[in-house]
Amino acid sequence: MPEIKFDQFLAAPEREIVIVRYHDIFQTEAALKHGKFSKEYQDLSAVIVLDPVDMKKIDAGDGDPVKISSEYGTVVVVAKKSEGENDARANAGHSGVGYMPASVWSNILAFGSTPVSAKVSRSQQKISTVGELTRIQRLID
Amino acid sequence: MACTGCALLCEDIEVRDGEVRHACRIGTAHILNRQQIDPMVDQEVVDIDDAIRRAAALLADAERPMFLGFGNSITETQATGVRLAEKIGAGIDPCSVHTSLIDDIVHSRVKTCTLPEVRDYADVILFWGADPMNTHPRLMSGYAYYPRGKNRQHGWETDRTAIAIDVRRSHTASICKEMYEIVPGRNIEFIDALMLALRNKVPKTVYDSKRVLKLAGTLKKAEFGVIFAGPGLVGSVPRGAIIRLMDKLNEFSDFRILPLYSPYNLRSIAAVDTAAVTTATTVMADAACEHPGGCTPTLASLREADCLLCVGFDLASSLPQACDIDASIIVIDPSETLTAGCADVVIPCAAGGVDLAGTAVRMDGAKIDLPCITKNGQTGAGARTRVSDASIMNRLLEAV
Ligand code: SF4
């Protein structure tokens, strides 16, 4: 019998954030080198950079999957804590704003390049793939 | 040789024995790799001639065809694309938020300059909604910040002040001497506050008015100021706001603007003087309207079309919602795109400046020759010779 965890029937805490897209040179490079269906591209694209304050509020740790829903769509991506000098701080100064690399994962939420409101919560689901988001499958090996 | 990895079109590239010299990470990956795809009709692999014939039939039958992209095509391909659009009554949407700014620059509604002028004269440089360290990696070292220039012999140390204005502390912002953080969606309020501050008025604003006044002081003292306008600026404010800001800045000092976008030949297609090319409200500018939730015209304008021709533009990646529209989709692209996965016809082509020679227009308006770097766009085994998009376009033009 599968193990039943006490908290699995409780709704994960949710947080309202604004999604802002950004460009990442390594992600662009991965798209060119390995293609937009590749694991390398997905690992650098299906990401949201969150402020430690927001991570705490939704009870998510660095590298945990999080579900993000806007009025345009829903994705599951990896949560990353703000990097660099902000690592050690409890507050990276952008609480309420989540940064996502420009890609199909953020575009499905943002509908263009504008900032868009969304709800973020910890998730037990797997990271969304391109195929799941667009129903498009890779044409080449 | 020149790199077509971004609109900077660096001309000092050398390729020897499969090794690329001088290019950045993006340029190297762009020159050496290609996710090549087979010609397809209805997602089945076919001969390229069959794919072109099918595309011609779809275009000939279309009542409301629409062309998207062309920013990643050589100028010669664009010219044939425009003729094809005019022949069948299609509109061309370059699908960039930058087209209106390019239009304003080309028609002298705002002052601009060349990249060598930035290197030689610029003392105050603003990166607004732009992160060239991640999108145009050689801009800072080649022109905008680090190099010594004719009137800027001390380069960035003492001769230049770089300022970032952005919604995010980007890598570019971390290099700049000052950073002004924008509240998402509130660029226009920053512009309004800055305009007041330029007139020595203390702005009432969500931003720190003392810092805005300090910024205004720096900008007024500029001998040769340049704004690099990224998508974070042009995609989030009305077109007229940038013109007004530039006019105001030029009352006090000498300010120029350069658009910072990625498609290497966007400036050329956006500047084509024909009714076929949309420069006012493009699909992407629509999408980037200021109020989230008020963006429905985007898909509506796409839904009006019954046949979409995507040339070097990955519609499904930029607007995934477009996967569900009813129009038939034709893709012409050197690489595999997400759009190819939902297209009726896919036609692979050579990549401009890689395995196809031609010309392009750099982001500052300079015309650049693009010699061929490799014969087939792929340096390794299994490489295939590819047809140029110019000849594909020519064959479509003859067939419809
Ligand atoms: S900066 Fe742009 S043009 Fe220059 S090498 Fe890099 S990608 Fe190519």
Side-chain angles (χ1 to χ4, degrees):
Chain A
M1 206 169 121
E3 189 192 340
I4 297 172
K5 286 193 184 138
F6 172 70
D7 62 355
Q8 87 181 53
F9 299 108
L10 298 177
E14 215 172 50
R15 178 111 170 110
E16 188 97 27
I17 53 163
V18 172
I19 307 283
V20 166
R21 302 182 327 153
Y22 68 95
H23 289 279
D24 170 27
I25 184 171
F26 297 103
Q27 182 224 17
T28 309
E29 186 189 30
L32 293 163
K33 264 187 167 170
H34 309 288
K36 288 182 183 169
F37 288 92
S38 66
K39 168 115 182 36
E40 290 85 347
Y41 181 68
Q42 174 174 316
D43 287 349
L44 293 168
S45 304
V47 166
I48 183 162
V49 179
L50 289 171
D51 189 286
V53 169
D54 296 327
M55 302 272 277
K56 211 170 161 200
K57 287 224 161 105
I58 61 166
D59 200 14
D62 198 29
D64 281 350
V66 289
K67 185 171 110 179
I68 312 168
S69 301
S70 76
E71 65 176 296
Y72 305 114
T74 297
V75 289
V76 178
V77 299
V78 173
K80 289 230 161 104
K81 203 150 79 167
S82 284
E83 58 176 26
E85 54 168 319
N86 297 322
D87 259 358
R89 292 198 273 157
N91 178 350
H94 65 89
S95 174
V97 181
Y99 304 123
M100 291 181 80
S103 76
V104 73
W105 285 268
S106 54
N107 292 342
I108 213 151
L109 298 166
F111 206 79
S113 60
T114 196
V116 67
S117 299
K119 288 197 171 90
V120 61
S121 59
R122 200 164 36 88
S123 171
Q124 310 286 344
Q125 288 165 282
K126 282 202 304 213
I127 306 305
S128 317
T129 62
V130 173
E132 286 156 6
L133 294 177
T134 60
R135 297 195 299 282
I136 295 171
Q137 297 305 322
R138 171 150 239 192
L139 295 172
I140 53 174
D141 297 327
Chain B
M1 284 179 262
C3 170
T4 49
C6 78
L8 219 50
L9 294 171
C10 296
E11 284 185 281
D12 58 350
I13 309 300
E14 290 170 19
V15 184
R16 253 181 256 143
D17 304 327
E19 195 186 305
V20 181
R21 297 211 183 140
H22 305 310
C24 68
R25 295 190 93 92
I26 297 175
T28 306
H30 169 71
I31 291 164
L32 291 183
N33 300 279
R34 204 67 43 205
Q35 304 297 316
Q36 293 193 35
I37 199 169
D38 287 312
M40 294 199 183
V41 169
D42 298 329
Q43 302 287 303
E44 299 287 334
V45 176
V46 297
D47 188 81
I48 189 152
D49 296 323
D50 292 337
I52 294 174
R53 266 195 294 275
R54 180 75 185 125
L58 286 175
L59 288 170
D61 288 347
E63 281 172 18
R64 295 172 309 281
M66 191 169 176
F67 295 1
L68 306 175
F70 282 98
N72 284 310
S73 303
I74 56 170
T75 306
E76 295 75 2
T77 305
Q78 294 175 351
T80 319
V82 169
R83 275 166 54 212
L84 179 63
E86 285 170 344
K87 188 168 175 184
I88 63 169
I92 298 180
D93 188 335
C95 288
S96 164
V97 291
H98 274 99
T99 47
S100 52
L101 178 57
I102 294 172
D103 191 54
D104 290 337
I105 286 172
V106 170
H107 291 97
S108 307
R109 288 187 278 267
V110 285
K111 229 168 147 178
T112 190
C113 62
T114 64
L115 285 168
E117 282 173 331
V118 175
R119 183 180 52 215
D120 284 339
Y121 307 115
D123 59 340
V124 177
I125 304 113
L126 258 60
F127 298 100
W128 200 324
D131 180 15
M133 292 297 288
N134 278 286
T135 55
H136 302 69
R138 298 182 74 208
L139 177 72
M140 305 286 266
S141 58
Y143 302 101
Y145 193 39
Y146 295 115
R148 305 188 184 313
K150 210 184 268 171
N151 288 10
R152 303 288 162 222
Q153 287 295 320
H154 300 287
W156 66 282
E157 289 108 326
T158 52
D159 273 357
R160 298 192 209 270
T161 304
I163 299 164
I165 304 176
D166 211 338
V167 286
R168 180 177 159 264
R169 279 193 180 269
S170 64
H171 291 131
T172 304
S174 65
I175 289 167
C176 290
K177 287 181 185 145
E178 295 271 352
M179 152 89 196
Y180 292 82
E181 223 163 312
I182 295 290
V183 181
R186 297 174 87 165
N187 246 312
I188 191 71
E189 282 165 69
F190 192 84
I191 291 182
D192 289 343
L194 183 58
M195 301 259 280
L196 277 174
L198 286 167
R199 299 204 324 255
N200 293 328
K201 297 210 169 115
V202 181
K204 267 201 205 118
T205 169
V206 290
Y207 299 102
D208 179 344
S209 47
K210 267 198 203 137
R211 286 199 74 218
V212 179
L213 281 163
K214 186 181 164 215
L215 173 65
T218 308
L219 303 187
K220 275 167 141 177
K221 277 190 239 136
E223 283 173 23
F224 191 109
V226 179
I227 298 178
F228 283 101
L233 171 64
V234 289
S236 67
V237 300
R239 183 174 181 166
I242 295 176
I243 300 178
R244 279 200 306 279
L245 175 66
M246 289 303 292
D247 287 347
K248 183 56 69 194
L249 284 168
N250 277 296
E251 282 177 23
F252 303 100
S253 52
D254 186 0
F255 251 90
R256 327 290 176 113
I257 193 164
L258 277 166
L260 214 52
Y261 50 79
S262 290
Y264 73 87
N265 205 16
L266 178 67
R267 175 146 175 169
S268 165
I269 186 69
V272 173
D273 203 8
T274 163
V277 180
T278 317
T279 53
T281 332
T282 85
V283 165
M284 296 312 289
D286 255 2
C289 79
E290 276 221 80
H291 309 288
C295 299
T296 32
T298 313
L299 272 187
S301 61
L302 281 180
R303 283 201 178 106
E304 273 169 28
D306 58 354
C307 181
L308 297 172
L309 174 67
C310 299
V311 184
F313 173 67
D314 194 356
L315 175 67
S317 180
S318 301
L319 281 173
Q321 294 85 350
C323 297
D324 292 332
I325 60 175
D326 283 337
S328 48
I329 298 177
I330 303 163
V331 168
I332 301 177
D333 207 292
S335 301
E336 182 189 30
T337 62
L338 300 191
T339 318
C342 60
D344 298 85
V345 181
V346 180
I347 310 172
C349 65
V354 180
D355 51 343
L356 171 65
T359 54
V361 179
R362 201 169 59 190
M363 51 181 274
D364 61 347
K367 194 174 155 199
I368 307 288
D369 283 326
L370 306 174
C372 226
I373 292 181
T374 66
K375 281 210 176 68
N376 45 37
Q378 216 178 40
T379 44
R384 289 170 270 185
T385 305
R386 304 186 298 180
V387 184
S388 81
D389 49 1
S391 74
I392 295 166
M393 213 60 71
N394 258 319
R395 287 177 60 185
L396 291 175
L397 186 64
E398 281 162 18
V400 295

